[in-house]
Amino acid sequence: MKMIKKLVDCIDEELEGAQNYAEKYVEYKANGNTKWSGRFKSMAEDELQHSNYIHELAVEEISKLRSVYEPSQEMLDKWDKAHTKYVEKAAWIKQMLSL
């Protein structure tokens, strides 16, 4: 269970980095600086991919955990909340990068 918490924390860190880079992308794009806007967009996309990989791992680990025992409802609720946050934040970042 601590492993899932650590994975959720890693997902959050990657999304935070992606959001920071995406905001810089928008800022530099608005200023007409295509060189740096492109670089920040690329870095944001990389961070999004990292968060996706870690999310996939967390899903796999939870599935393996469920094959051994049924996690508590509290744990499942925390995962559902973290998963929803991941989906919403990733979608928002992707929207920023589509500008």
Side-chain angles (χ1 to χ4, degrees):
M1 303 231 225
K2 287 183 180 183
M3 179 180 61
I4 303 301
K5 169 76 169 108
K6 287 180 183 181
L7 291 173
V8 168
D9 290 345
C10 288
I11 291 168
D12 289 343
E13 288 175 24
E14 296 293 338
L15 285 176
E16 187 67 30
Q19 182 175 344
N20 290 336
Y21 290 139
E23 289 170 356
K24 288 292 188 185
Y25 158 72
V26 172
E27 178 184 334
Y28 279 93
K29 184 171 183 173
N31 290 326
N33 189 330
T34 56
K35 174 184 172 182
W36 284 103
S37 67
R39 288 181 179 176
F40 279 111
K41 183 177 184 177
S42 176
M43 290 188 291
E45 291 168 340
D46 287 347
E47 296 292 293
L48 274 176
Q49 186 60 52
H50 299 162
S51 70
N52 186 51
Y53 290 150
I54 298 166
H55 178 262
E56 287 178 24
L57 177 59
V59 169
E60 289 176 14
E61 292 299 323
I62 289 171
S63 179
K64 286 194 306 190
L65 184 62
R66 282 184 170 168
S67 71
V68 176
Y69 93 109
E70 186 60 32
S72 69
Q73 188 59 46
E74 180 183 3
M75 182 188 165
L76 294 173
D77 290 345
K78 286 180 181 180
W79 169 249
D80 287 342
K81 183 178 177 182
H83 176 73
T84 299
K85 179 182 173 185
Y86 162 76
V87 170
E88 291 173 354
K89 193 165 188 176
W92 173 247
I93 293 166
K94 288 176 185 177
Q95 184 176 355
M96 283 195 300
L97 296 176
S98 70
L99 298 175

